[in-house]
Amino acid sequence: MADISLKNINKVYPNGFQAVKDFNLEIKDQEFIIFVGPSGCGKSTTLRMIAGLEEISSGELLIDGKLMNDVEPKDRDIAMVFQNYALYPHMTVYDNMAFGLKLRKVPKDEIDKKVREAAKILDLEKLLDRKPKALSGGQRQRVAMGRAIVRNPKVFLMDEPLSNLDAKLRVQMRTEISKLHDSLGATMIYVTHDQTEAMTLGTRIVVMKDGVVQQIDTPANLYQKPCNLFVAGFIGSPQMNFLNGTLNADCTAIQVNGATIQIPPAKTKALSEKNYGGKEVILGIRPEDIHDSQIYVDTQSSSVIEAKISVYELLGAEVYLYFDYAGTQVTARVDPRTTARGGDTVKFALDMEKAHFFDKDTELTIA
Ligand code: ATP
């Protein structure tokens, strides 16, 4: 069992910089939690405070109900995997994995059993006699994981463990880590700035910005119901399009750059209930909710706009069309059967049921 509780955690570095502000999170046993956010948002600092590598300035860290603030890292029953693997170059794979257990004076036969078990899980059995320099990046990463697994910790902490790997290997290792989480049944906390990694691995994701938690939610909820403009823009690739506009008095349409975009009833209701009639707002729409109207129009929820395509990009299974609208570059992710090409003027159907509306000042989601 490993429930982790972070209560009003703050980190102020000695130079006075506050890297983490009032961080609150309850992690349940066996959860896979992701900390995600742009560089410098405080993800690693938070992880390091949980590991005990960084002092907690104020607030409480509890593991299984026990206060951990002043407990030594080695006594927290936590294993951490770093992005640089930190393997001992002069030791074999076997010895790298066994090292921590030897230090703890675990009996030799038990060490052997644990190392071989971990090697089996990680497909390292044939590499146990090699030194790190004779391994590929992915294999080294697996050894670093193995070193954590043999300790059988309650909690795994991982700080950008895949960032040194090439794109293909990252995808492969991502699946491996996911399987590992399922088979070990451990609680995992994983730091990344890569939103795809966050979305595919996490049972819940913590999105951070400037040391402040923005939203804690499941991947699906973060995608479909972002709480503010930042989360909406950060989660999703290519990112959500944002257009400034003014709602009409009864919130049945929004004026963007002189064009009128109709708003479906459910959204109208939410916008008018919150008294946004006649106000300036930000309209958010994801690339996949903008269709080439020659191929797809849902008459119930679509509103059609016309625009001249600047760039056409074929990615195989999909096509990205870029166009300028209301002074903003917009991306549409459309069916590859589209005949539209750069320079063409095209009618796009916006699926407004899926649109998001944000307050212009607070940037919070309205509907
Ligand atoms: P990255 O993805 O780049 O690793 P991060 O979200 O993990 O970023 P942190 O490493 O937690 O960010 O750093 C958060 C902020 O705290 C940054 O602005 C960083 O410059 C600052 N910071 C980190 N360590 C110290 C320190 N020892 N003293 C002062 N400021 C620090």
Side-chain angles (χ1 to χ4, degrees):
M1 282 287 289
D3 292 319
I4 303 170
S5 174
L6 293 107
K7 296 186 176 170
N8 284 314
I9 299 272
N10 286 278
K11 176 66 190 182
V12 182
Y13 280 111
N15 65 357
F17 181 77
Q18 182 157 10
V20 178
K21 296 168 196 152
D22 282 329
F23 192 109
N24 283 289
L25 176 65
E26 297 290 329
I27 303 174
K28 289 187 282 298
D29 186 37
Q30 302 197 5
E31 267 202 281
F32 199 144
I33 293 283
I34 311 280
F35 295 168
V36 71
S39 181
C41 71
K43 311 176 290 285
S44 297
T45 301
T46 308
L47 198 76
R48 291 169 62 81
M49 285 193 283
I50 298 172
L53 302 174
E54 205 65 72
E55 203 180 317
I56 297 171
S57 305
S58 68
E60 290 185 339
L61 168 71
L62 299 128
I63 300 181
D64 290 338
K66 270 188 16 208
L67 189 65
M68 285 286 146
N69 289 45
D70 299 321
V71 174
E72 287 289 312
K74 65 176 176 42
D75 299 325
R76 292 190 185 197
D77 208 354
I78 279 174
M80 188 146 167
V81 182
F82 298 93
Q83 67 173 252
N84 59 7
Y85 325 137
L87 301 179
Y88 299 107
H90 59 284
M91 288 186 196
T92 61
V93 167
Y94 185 100
D95 289 334
N96 261 288
M97 293 198 335
F99 187 69
L101 300 178
K102 276 187 191 154
L103 280 187
R104 275 156 210 261
K105 311 243 179 318
V106 175
K108 235 180 167 177
D109 50 346
E110 200 177 317
I111 293 179
D112 191 62
K113 192 167 156 247
K114 289 197 161 148
V115 169
R116 290 188 191 281
E117 265 170 23
K120 194 167 174 206
I121 295 173
L122 294 162
D123 198 17
L124 289 169
E125 286 165 299
K126 294 200 180 97
L127 306 173
L128 287 171
D129 296 329
R130 292 216 196 152
K131 299 259 176 74
K133 69 172 186 307
L135 299 175
S136 71
Q139 289 164 342
R140 274 179 220 163
Q141 185 56 56
R142 292 214 292 275
V143 179
M145 300 274 180
R147 214 168 36 176
I149 291 174
V150 293
R151 290 180 42 202
N152 196 23
K154 277 190 192 169
V155 184
F156 282 89
L157 305 180
M158 303 192 198
D159 195 349
E160 306 244 9
L162 308 184
S163 61
N164 287 336
L165 305 180
D166 67 42
K168 196 173 161 204
L169 209 51
R170 279 176 84 121
V171 176
Q172 217 175 319
M173 281 304 291
R174 207 165 71 201
T175 331
E176 294 302 317
I177 291 175
S178 207
K179 281 196 229 154
L180 203 61
H181 172 250
D182 294 344
S183 64
L184 297 176
T187 308
M188 289 192 178
I189 310 177
Y190 186 104
V191 162
T192 180
H193 62 268
D194 179 331
Q195 56 93 25
T196 313
E197 237 166 73
M199 293 291 280
T200 49
L201 283 172
T203 47
R204 278 193 305 155
I205 300 173
V206 180
V207 183
M208 297 180 72
K209 180 193 170 210
D210 298 335
V212 178
V213 171
Q214 305 290 304
Q215 186 169 356
I216 302 174
D217 225 321
T218 60
N221 273 348
L222 276 183
Y223 196 75
Q224 288 153 14
K225 297 174 191 162
C227 71
N228 62 26
L229 194 77
F230 174 79
V231 176
F234 191 78
I235 301 288
S237 176
Q239 81 155 41
M240 188 185 284
N241 300 293
F242 298 115
L243 296 164
N244 290 315
T246 307
L247 292 166
N248 65 1
D250 59 5
C251 300
T252 53
I254 179 169
Q255 304 289 328
V256 178
N257 199 29
T260 303
I261 299 175
Q262 300 300 323
I263 299 173
K267 297 276 175 193
T268 294
K269 187 163 175 278
L271 289 163
S272 41
E273 273 171 10
K274 292 181 181 165
N275 296 318
Y276 276 88
K279 290 196 181 154
E280 280 184 54
V281 293
I282 300 165
L283 165 65
I285 185 144
R286 294 207 182 272
E288 64 269 32
D289 299 325
I290 306 178
H291 304 279
D292 176 345
S293 70
Q294 291 214 320
I295 298 179
Y296 176 86
V297 191
D298 177 345
T299 46
Q300 291 292 310
S301 65
S302 291
S303 186
V304 175
I305 60 164
E306 202 174 69
K308 189 174 171 188
I309 298 167
S310 52
V311 177
Y312 162 95
E313 265 179 15
L314 171 66
L315 275 87
E318 57 197 10
V319 160
Y320 295 167
L321 299 175
Y322 300 91
F323 57 92
D324 193 72
Y325 200 73
T328 308
Q329 166 147 310
V330 176
T331 310
R333 180 192 226 158
V334 304
D335 191 303
R337 287 172 299 173
T338 185
T339 54
R341 295 292 183 272
D344 294 352
T345 297
V346 171
K347 285 196 168 73
F348 287 101
L350 311 185
D351 185 350
M352 293 297 287
E353 291 286 3
K354 307 247 181 74
H356 302 259
F357 293 88
F358 304 93
D359 185 292
K360 204 159 182 273
D361 300 319
T362 64
E363 299 190 347
L364 294 174
T365 301
I366 313 163

